[in-house]
Amino acid sequence: MNKSLQHLVLLQNHSLISHRRLHLSVPLCFHFLKKQTAIDPEIAKIREERKRRKLEKAILKLKQYGKKPKPVEEIGIDIKLINTLDNRRREPDPINEENEMKRIVILKEYARSRVLLANENIRWIKDAMRRQIRALEALKIVSPELYKAAVKSEQCGLPSIMEGPSLTPPIEGYKSPDGDYKDVTKQWVQPELPPLIKKFGVGRLIKTPTFQKKLLEQKKNQEGENKKEEGPKKKTATA
């Protein structure tokens, strides 16, 4: 009975499929569609190492691009001058022993004179402070009021508070000059990554940095603004 039922079901399915002009094929349950060749594990390991090295190189390049500082024209030096620095340097002339000894003696004498001068200044300051203390003690005995006035801290007009007009008044009859304003400030643009992607071929594996995203957004915005400006011009020309 079971076999007869299965046969009937198959006939019905066949009739439906033939009516719909469809046909069945052999089921493809194999995992690999293409023929796989056996690879030596050592060769596979070498290939993986090459890929890893390539990625490491690309990451290092990206780090160099990120750390590249903004150039300063005042500090920048011409490459030709840098290459000829060795030729421009002058070696000091050799010094004889006699001249060297003379220089040492002169330096020692200069150091001694500076020490004596510093000691004299310290003595003078100490003597002045002692005299000041004696004078204040004598003043305290004579008149305590004058002593208090002498010891009191002086106020040199600090803190000073000044109030004035917060905004300058407009000039009567002033005519503003006509003219166009042009921004001439130089802008620093970070280097882009297409040369890196061409060289290493790992553009998909590395995320685009933030500065490149910003540049792309700026370009898109500029293109949109240019299109908006060109639209009304064309309409006026046709009108």
Side-chain angles (χ1 to χ4, degrees):
M1 289 294 288
N2 291 327
K3 288 181 180 180
S4 61
L5 286 169
Q6 287 177 1
H7 187 65
L8 286 168
V9 169
L10 287 169
L11 286 169
Q12 286 177 0
N13 290 332
H14 182 68
S15 64
L16 288 168
I17 290 161
S18 61
H19 183 68
R20 292 177 184 174
R21 294 180 182 179
L22 298 171
H23 65 279
L24 295 171
S25 62
V26 180
L28 300 172
C29 299
F30 192 61
H31 182 65
F32 299 107
L33 297 175
K34 291 182 180 179
K35 189 178 180 181
Q36 296 292 318
T37 56
I39 300 169
D40 192 2
E42 291 183 359
I43 294 165
K45 191 176 180 181
I46 290 162
R47 287 177 183 174
E48 286 178 0
E49 285 179 357
R50 283 177 186 170
K51 287 180 183 178
R52 190 179 64 190
R53 286 173 190 168
K54 195 182 279 188
L55 283 169
E56 286 175 357
K57 284 182 182 178
I59 288 160
L60 286 170
K61 286 280 180 185
L62 283 172
K63 286 180 180 178
Q64 289 175 3
Y65 271 73
K67 291 180 181 178
K68 198 167 186 180
K70 184 178 177 180
V72 183
E73 293 181 356
E74 291 81 5
I75 300 170
I77 304 169
D78 192 4
I79 296 166
K80 292 179 181 179
L81 295 173
I82 292 166
N83 293 329
T84 57
L85 273 175
D86 296 330
N87 298 328
R88 293 172 183 276
R89 283 176 183 165
R90 294 181 182 178
E91 294 181 358
D93 296 329
I95 301 166
N96 298 327
E97 290 182 0
E98 293 179 359
N99 293 329
E100 193 172 357
M101 290 299 293
K102 285 179 182 177
R103 288 184 179 183
I104 290 164
V105 171
I106 290 163
L107 285 170
K108 285 182 178 180
E109 288 178 356
Y110 178 76
R112 284 171 190 165
S113 65
R114 294 298 96 189
V115 169
L116 291 170
L117 185 63
N119 290 331
E120 286 178 1
N121 287 330
I122 291 162
R123 285 173 193 167
W124 180 79
I125 291 163
K126 285 181 178 179
D127 291 337
M129 289 174 73
R130 285 172 191 165
R131 289 170 187 171
Q132 187 181 11
I133 291 162
R134 287 175 188 171
L136 287 169
E137 287 175 356
L139 185 65
K140 189 176 182 180
I141 294 163
V142 174
S143 64
E145 293 177 358
L146 291 172
Y147 173 77
K148 287 179 183 178
V151 175
K152 189 172 67 175
S153 61
E154 294 181 359
Q155 292 182 358
C156 302
L158 294 172
S160 63
I161 298 166
M162 298 175 71
E163 293 181 359
S166 57
L167 294 171
T168 55
I171 300 166
E172 294 180 358
Y174 177 74
K175 293 180 181 179
S176 61
D178 296 330
D180 296 329
Y181 175 74
K182 291 182 181 179
D183 191 5
V184 193
T185 53
K186 293 182 180 180
Q187 293 181 355
W188 165 246
V189 181
Q190 285 281 358
E192 296 181 356
L193 289 175
L196 275 180
I197 293 163
K198 287 179 183 177
K199 188 175 181 181
F200 295 103
V202 288
R204 293 180 182 177
L205 299 173
I206 298 167
K207 292 181 180 179
T208 53
T210 53
F211 69 85
Q212 193 178 9
K213 288 180 181 177
K214 288 179 181 178
L215 286 172
L216 292 170
E217 288 177 0
Q218 288 176 2
K219 285 179 182 178
K220 286 180 181 178
N221 293 328
Q222 286 178 359
E223 288 175 359
E225 289 176 358
N226 292 329
K227 286 179 181 178
K228 287 179 182 178
E229 289 177 357
E230 288 175 0
K233 287 181 181 178
K234 288 180 180 178
K235 287 180 182 178
T236 53
T238 53

